[in-house]
Amino acid sequence: MSDLPAAMRSALTERSRIGRLETRIEQVSTDGTRKRLYRLPDGPLIESVLMPYADGRRTACISTQAGCAMGCRFCATGQMGLVRHLDQGEILEQAWRFHSELARQGERLSNVVLMGMGEPFHNYEASVRAIRRLSSDLGIGQRHITVSTVGLAPAIRRFADEGLQVTLAISLHAATDEERGAMLPINRRWPLAELIAACRDYQQKSGRRLSFEWALIAGENDREQDAIRLAELLRGLSCHVNLIPLNPTRGYTGGPSSDRAAREFVAVLEQRGIPATVRVRRGIDIDAGCGQLRDRVEAMQA
Ligand code: SAH
Ligand code: SF4
């Protein structure tokens, strides 16, 4: 900007920056998954992941908070507690970074999932604004955006009124209040009956198919009876269940289900008319589970 006076240019250099995320670490997995740890200007660390797929899709997984207040037992982010909310710019910039880097290689960021660190609906306004800008500013179709929530029932109802065409994913992981409450403390505030009622209302209003996330934990929630209860719970909803073998974390003793248990779980659901897919764990060699890279870095620094 050489048309500006020199004094103003140096003042601008001192006081302003384009972008607020400083890359601290980047790891690339053998499967091409690219994981980044960013530092925010005031210090907190957040993670973003880019996943390339053989069919050409390029999916960014982005964070909405540094840490998380929800305290889910098996989650590395939950184990660290909430550091702070991200603002809409900090959420968007994570996707924008991948978007512009891919564009330089003649590729396109095609999908975004709000499934990194944090609970998007606990940081509702910033997350929804960032979602709108993902489509308006980065040209990502709303149908290619997924927002995942631990199940804040009132926020699910509010989200139904936004008129967005994005996919809503609900992290379920257990089909009884007792089991879900032990894993996901938020279930004590909004138990399953309320959560599923909010999901039904959301579906009626939005007409969108729902996704449900289920981390398969060996011997905990991967038995036949768990699948039967899950199918009961979801009866009548248009939905898809995503089964993800647990990524072990430092603060939780559980481990992932075997392939066989996962296949049997799918079969029970499908017999009952619930479509389900076992998701491949991406970037497992680079701690690509939610909050795990930061966790590893802190452990090394300790
Ligand atoms: N807070 C939101 C979105 C971020 S977490 C939510 O909870 O939905 C994204 C997904 O990763 C959630 O389904 C969450 O339950 C899951 N997850 C967290 N820790 C995990 C782990 N160790 N193994 C497998 N899935 C995990
Ligand atoms: Fe937060 Fe989601 Fe982790 Fe639960 S699973 S602690 S809601 S980031």
Side-chain angles (χ1 to χ4, degrees):
M1 289 193 283
S2 54
D3 50 340
L4 295 180
M8 188 186 281
R9 289 204 307 262
S10 67
L12 273 173
T13 311
E14 251 169 49
R15 286 186 213 156
S16 55
R17 295 202 281 138
I18 298 174
R20 276 168 291 176
L21 306 179
E22 180 201 331
T23 305
R24 292 307 288 265
I25 297 181
E26 174 163 286
Q27 294 182 335
V28 184
S29 165
T30 47
D31 65 17
T33 301
R34 189 173 286 273
K35 169 139 188 167
R36 237 174 240 177
L37 189 73
Y38 289 118
R39 184 185 179 279
L40 300 172
D42 54 333
L45 302 172
I46 58 161
E47 297 174 13
S48 309
V49 183
L50 180 70
M51 294 165 287
Y53 292 91
D55 62 6
R57 274 176 305 146
R58 298 286 176 269
T59 301
C61 175
I62 61 175
S63 298
T64 56
Q65 297 176 314
C68 183
M70 301 296 131
C72 305
R73 302 275 180 254
F74 51 72
C75 172
T77 308
Q79 289 158 15
M80 72 182 71
L82 179 66
V83 181
R84 75 161 168 86
H85 293 305
L86 303 190
D87 66 28
Q88 54 159 317
E90 291 164 338
I91 300 171
L92 187 72
E93 188 179 334
Q94 297 166 64
W96 173 77
R97 286 284 192 99
F98 288 134
H99 169 87
S100 53
E101 289 160 22
L102 286 168
R104 282 199 288 276
Q105 298 162 23
E107 293 184 17
R108 208 184 128 254
L109 180 66
S110 58
N111 297 65
V112 176
V113 297
L114 282 76
M115 280 195 182
M117 296 168 85
E119 167 51 42
F121 285 175
H122 183 215
N123 185 16
Y124 186 90
E125 265 104 23
S127 297
V128 169
R129 286 200 189 109
I131 290 169
R132 292 193 191 284
R133 288 181 61 193
L134 283 170
S135 56
S136 66
D137 298 12
L138 301 188
I140 295 167
Q142 288 186 2
R143 284 165 195 277
H144 296 126
I145 300 172
T146 298
V147 55
S148 175
T149 177
V150 71
L152 310 187
I156 292 173
R157 291 210 155 83
R158 182 174 173 195
F159 195 64
D161 293 324
E162 301 286 350
L164 291 165
Q165 294 297 303
V166 303
T167 298
L168 180 61
I170 319 287
S171 299
L172 216 46
H173 309 309
T176 66
D177 281 324
E178 197 188 344
E179 288 167 328
R180 193 164 187 268
M183 257 190 267
L184 279 55
I186 199 66
N187 192 76
R188 296 184 205 134
R189 182 97 177 264
W190 289 292
L192 282 166
E194 269 186 63
L195 172 57
I196 298 298
C199 289
R200 290 188 197 282
D201 291 349
Y202 172 85
Q203 180 139 83
Q204 267 211 317
K205 209 169 250 180
S206 70
R208 305 283 300 151
R209 188 163 82 149
L210 285 160
S211 284
F212 289 95
E213 308 289 308
W214 190 281
L216 282 167
I217 310 170
E220 288 283 329
N221 65 357
D222 65 348
R223 299 152 300 185
E224 187 183 8
Q225 72 204 60
D226 300 310
I228 294 171
R229 285 203 192 108
L230 173 59
E232 274 300 302
L233 191 68
L234 301 182
R235 203 160 51 179
L237 274 169
S238 160
C239 65
H240 190 99
V241 174
N242 290 313
L243 301 160
I244 311 107
L246 184 84
N247 265 318
T249 54
R250 273 196 299 160
Y252 185 75
T253 49
S257 302
S258 65
D259 291 348
R260 186 169 165 205
R263 277 199 306 275
E264 285 172 5
F265 203 92
V266 170
V268 174
L269 290 177
E270 291 195 330
Q271 275 158 18
R272 286 162 177 76
I274 310 273
T277 316
V278 181
R279 300 289 169 193
V280 187
R281 284 186 296 167
R282 304 272 313 200
I284 195 71
D285 54 329
I286 56 163
D287 307 314
C290 168
Q292 290 186 305
L293 182 60
R294 179 189 179 282
D295 205 36
R296 175 66 61 94
V297 170
E298 307 257 295
M300 285 187 310
Q301 284 166 352

